[in-house]
Amino acid sequence: MIKGLGITTVWTFDQQRTKAFFTEKLDFEVCSEVAMGDMRWVTVGAKDQPGVELALMSLDGPGLDPESAEALKKLVAKGVLGAGAFRTDDCRGDYETFRARGVEFLQEPQERPYGIEAIFRDDNGNWYSLTERSEELDFSKDWA
């Protein structure tokens, strides 16, 4: 029986740079960093949520055929891949903190039916939702 999500993939052009992005700009912590032959296994996670990790997967690493790797590189560089949604208890405060650290935001905090949401990119172009959830849905607010 599935108990929940443990690890999800974030595609990166440079694992060390992306590790620095998550740890220095978003206050994540390194969960694992292991050399595995020609590749390096690096995962990061939010300090308050042990057990959920982002695997920082290199776009030129093993597991991708050359054609797929090139296609994926184009999509990541184009910034069309959404990599997830992070929950926060203070979207506006985190927005100000992260923005001051140089995080690129595509959307300032906005009221949504499900809470307050901002959208940002990582250092590769992957985008994420930063969401402060409301107790109840408020359908008087815009969805987009």
Side-chain angles (χ1 to χ4, degrees), residues 1 8 17 42 48 51 57 64 73 80-81 83 110 113 124 129 144:
M1 177 185 297
T8 189
R17 187 187 71 204
V42 181
D48 296 335
M57 300 296 292
L64 291 172
K73 286 176 185 176
V80 298
L81 296 183
Q110 302 287 320
N124 301 286
S129 168

Side-chain angles (χ1 to χ4, degrees), residues 37-126:
D38 292 340
M39 70 169 277
R40 192 157 199 84
W41 176 254
V42 181
T43 66
V44 295
K47 292 177 182 173
D48 296 335
Q49 191 181 21
V52 178
E53 302 174 31
L54 304 177
L56 309 181
M57 300 296 292
S58 178
L59 286 159
D60 58 1
L64 291 172
D65 63 80
E67 181 181 337
S68 297
E70 285 307 311
L72 192 52
K73 286 176 185 176
K74 288 178 182 175
L75 291 172
V76 172
K78 200 172 182 180
V80 298
L81 296 183
F86 296 114
R87 291 188 184 146
T88 177
D89 57 357
D90 183 6
C91 184
R92 288 185 173 88
D94 286 345
Y95 165 80
E96 292 298 336
T97 299
F98 298 157
R99 194 173 70 131
R101 293 177 183 170
V103 174
E104 175 192 2
F105 276 85
L106 304 174
Q107 174 193 295
E108 296 179 5
Q110 302 287 320
E111 298 280 341
R112 301 287 184 230
Y114 44 85
I116 303 168
E117 179 183 50
I119 307 290
F120 68 94
R121 288 191 190 282
D122 68 18
D123 63 305
N124 301 286
N126 301 303

